[in-house]
Amino acid sequence: MSVANRQQTATSGSYDPASQKLLTFHDAVPAFRDGSDSPRAYLERCLEVIEAREPEVQAWVTINREGARAAADEASARYKAGKPLSPVDGMPIGIKDLFMTKDMPTEMGSPLFKGNETHADSALVYGLRMSGAVILGKTVTTELGFSHPGPTRNPFDTNRTPGGSSSGSAAAIGAGMVPATIGSQVVGSVIRPASFCGNYAIKPTLGALNRGERAGSLSQSHIGVHAGSLEDMWAVSYQIAATAGGDAGYPGLYGEETPAGSKKPTHLILLQTEGWEMLDGTTRAAFEQILEQLRRQDIQILTRADSPTIDACEVAMAESLKLARDICCWELRWTLRNLAEKDRSLMSESLQQRLAVAEDMDLAAYRIALDKRERMRTRFRALAPFADGCITLSSVGIAPAFDGSGSVGEPGITHQTGLPAFNAATSALGVPAISLPLMGISGMPVGVQLVGQTHRDQELSAIAAWMRESVKPVSL
């Protein structure tokens, strides 16, 4: 059986988090070093899977096969000489099509940018190339990274959305096409699609990874990484920070190059957020089984009922969807006005809804939103003495139908790629979050989300590693 057929068999049919095997890179490196395998051969296996699955999944906008093969050959020569550049040397990576690439168009999911050639790399792409990574192609994003979907389908059920806005990035991992991809999140665009597609993913501390040309546009924009393993997730994150740094004025990602070892927490706070009341019974029951496993291993799960400090944080986060809407719409208003003047007919209804919200706001309303966000951050920082981290869900359930039926949004906005009710708060907080593929609901993935304090990204990844080893995945 070919590599592509094996992967197709593994990802078609009912999803089981206990048996699903994602593509990884770190464990292939020893064979590169001893000459029994090579980055070029690894790339060709990825391309074989893409050829088999792309017609149904549609994760990619552009694939630069010639450029990727040249980069993989260079990486193969470095391994042969015993001089790889970094842990990601030779790793095929997909880049969300919001970020500039010198050798491929950057179309941002919008007909207004069709064929847009920048002839330059975004800082994160440049940093990955410096580290030896193989920039394979551009993955599908929703329109300008917001609510209107592209063509990408969920790799486990093509009648369902992969989530957004990092649609292609998440689906490419779930389909086993590549070991890592780049996404971004302003509200829920890394963690939610990771949940729907069964990925590992990190939304690091705000500003930890250089956003390049998008840095000044949205104050909650985070670069994130989707991957088939925690090891590859961390390696990609670290190399971006090590080469390109963080955003201007930010200290970048803290931690060591070597992935953190497993660390068992003693206390975790259950963050309900506004998503808790939106859960269906099956998803909640599966998550309760995860929490019960933790309790049986002597981990204390704290809730808002256990402490006024935790309750105050929950109260502060209670309307995070509306808060994210207001902040993002105000910050986008000039971009959206310019696009409307260029050709309003090429803007989706969802994007026009955001413009309408922005036009109804004034500077005083934006200041009120910023003040509320800062109060949220203060309340969350107050939780640090209580626990090693927080735990919640990565999405309100399984991926909804691809047509967006049944999707609701914060007032004034329609979401067609799933509701980010468990993500808006952590994006507004600017704290690190990691999604773990630990649950299967009705044959589809749902992730468990870990949340940490600012700059504690690597410590959070250590808790994630312990959970991967010690918590049995749940299927209902």
Side-chain angles (χ1 to χ4, degrees):
M1 184 182 291
S2 70
V3 171
N5 286 338
R6 287 199 303 272
Q7 186 61 38
Q8 208 163 9
T9 299
T11 56
S12 61
S14 182
Y15 173 83
D16 179 358
S19 60
Q20 180 64 28
K21 302 297 183 185
L22 295 168
L23 184 64
T24 58
F25 183 81
H26 69 282
D27 48 1
V29 170
F32 300 162
R33 292 182 181 276
D34 68 23
S36 59
D37 195 7
S38 70
R40 174 60 185 270
Y42 187 99
L43 172 65
E44 294 300 331
R45 295 195 293 272
C46 290
L47 290 171
E48 186 181 349
V49 176
I50 292 171
E51 183 177 356
R53 299 226 58 199
E54 177 62 8
E56 60 174 353
V57 177
Q58 300 180 65
W60 301 86
V61 181
T62 306
I63 298 176
N64 184 2
R65 291 174 175 82
E66 182 178 344
R69 284 173 170 140
D73 285 341
E74 292 172 1
S76 297
R78 288 191 290 269
Y79 278 104
K80 187 175 181 179
K83 297 180 179 179
L85 295 175
S86 78
V88 304
D89 197 353
M91 180 190 287
I93 295 179
I95 305 296
K96 184 177 182 179
D97 195 29
L98 289 180
F99 301 102
M100 299 189 306
T101 43
K102 64 184 179 183
D103 49 359
M104 291 172 276
T106 302
E107 298 179 335
M108 296 183 280
S110 170
L112 287 161
F113 293 92
K114 187 69 176 175
N116 175 45
E117 295 278 2
T118 64
H119 304 290
D121 281 338
S122 184
L124 71 94
V125 177
Y126 191 83
L128 287 170
R129 291 195 204 270
M130 288 178 62
S131 302
V134 174
I135 306 302
L136 178 53
K138 306 298 284 291
T139 55
V140 172
T141 178
T142 61
E143 179 190 33
L144 301 187
F146 285 95
S147 301
H148 187 69
T152 309
R153 306 299 182 105
N154 192 291
F156 300 101
D157 181 350
T158 54
N159 293 313
R160 297 183 180 274
T161 179
S165 62
S166 304
S167 307
S169 294
I173 299 298
M177 295 174 174
V178 286
T181 54
I182 299 302
S184 61
Q185 177 164 317
V186 176
V187 183
S189 296
V190 171
I191 298 299
R192 186 177 78 262
S195 179
F196 291 165
C197 295
N199 303 170
Y200 293 94
I202 185 169
K203 177 196 75 68
T205 294
L206 180 67
L209 304 183
N210 196 317
R211 292 174 287 176
E213 72 279 7
R214 285 177 60 82
S217 59
L218 291 163
S219 64
Q220 290 182 188
S221 180
H222 302 67
I223 297 300
V225 179
H226 293 265
S229 68
L230 290 170
E231 291 84 355
D232 293 340
M233 179 195 81
W234 183 257
V236 172
S237 302
Y238 180 87
Q239 289 305 319
I240 292 172
T243 52
D247 289 337
Y250 288 80
L253 184 74
Y254 283 94
E256 303 299 324
E257 181 177 81
T258 303
S262 171
K263 180 181 179 182
K264 179 182 176 182
T266 61
H267 296 75
L268 291 173
I269 295 170
L270 169 61
L271 285 184
Q272 294 181 342
T273 76
E274 59 197 307
W276 193 250
E277 297 305 318
M278 302 176 190
L279 288 174
D280 63 89
T282 305
T283 302
R284 183 177 294 191
F287 185 53
E288 291 288 358
Q289 288 190 28
I290 296 288
L291 296 177
E292 184 56 31
Q293 287 188 60
L294 296 173
R295 293 186 184 102
R296 290 199 302 266
Q297 297 186 69
D298 298 320
I299 297 171
Q300 187 171 357
I301 305 297
L302 304 172
T303 71
R304 64 191 308 168
D306 296 312
S307 165
T309 304
I310 298 174
D311 184 65
C313 184
E314 292 277 17
V315 170
M317 297 188 300
E319 295 184 340
S320 296
L321 283 168
K322 181 180 182 300
L323 177 69
R325 181 205 69 178
D326 290 347
I327 290 174
C328 292
C329 286
W330 179 258
E331 292 171 350
L332 275 172
R333 69 197 186 284
W334 296 115
T335 296
L336 297 183
R337 284 173 176 171
N338 282 322
L339 293 178
E341 288 182 6
K342 185 176 181 180
D343 191 342
R344 184 181 287 266
S345 70
L346 295 180
M347 297 171 64
S348 70
E349 179 183 353
S350 174
L351 211 58
Q352 294 190 51
Q353 288 173 348
R354 293 181 186 277
L355 177 55
V357 171
E359 298 289 15
D360 284 341
M361 293 181 65
D362 58 19
L363 183 58
Y366 180 60
R367 287 171 174 166
I368 289 170
L370 292 181
D371 285 344
K372 182 173 182 178
R373 187 172 70 182
E374 189 53 42
R375 289 196 299 273
M376 285 175 55
R377 292 176 176 180
T378 299
R379 293 292 189 186
F380 187 79
R381 286 193 293 268
L383 302 183
F386 288 77
D388 302 287
C390 302
I391 188 168
T392 188
L393 287 150
S394 299
S395 62
V396 297
I398 67 173
F402 183 78
D403 61 7
S405 60
S407 293
V408 294
E410 63 267 29
I413 303 295
T414 301
H415 286 280
Q416 294 181 275
T417 58
L419 188 62
F422 279 112
N423 317 118
T426 57
S427 293
L429 291 168
V431 296
I434 294 174
S435 187
L436 299 170
L438 288 176
M439 303 197 314
I441 308 297
S442 303
M444 292 294 293
V446 173
V448 172
Q449 184 177 188
L450 295 175
V451 183
Q453 293 288 336
T454 301
H455 299 310
R456 306 290 286 272
D457 304 64
Q458 191 164 42
E459 293 173 46
L460 191 67
S461 72
I463 297 174
W466 179 86
M467 287 191 63
R468 179 184 60 181
E469 297 168 2
S470 306
V471 175
K472 182 180 178 181
V474 174
S475 292
L476 292 179

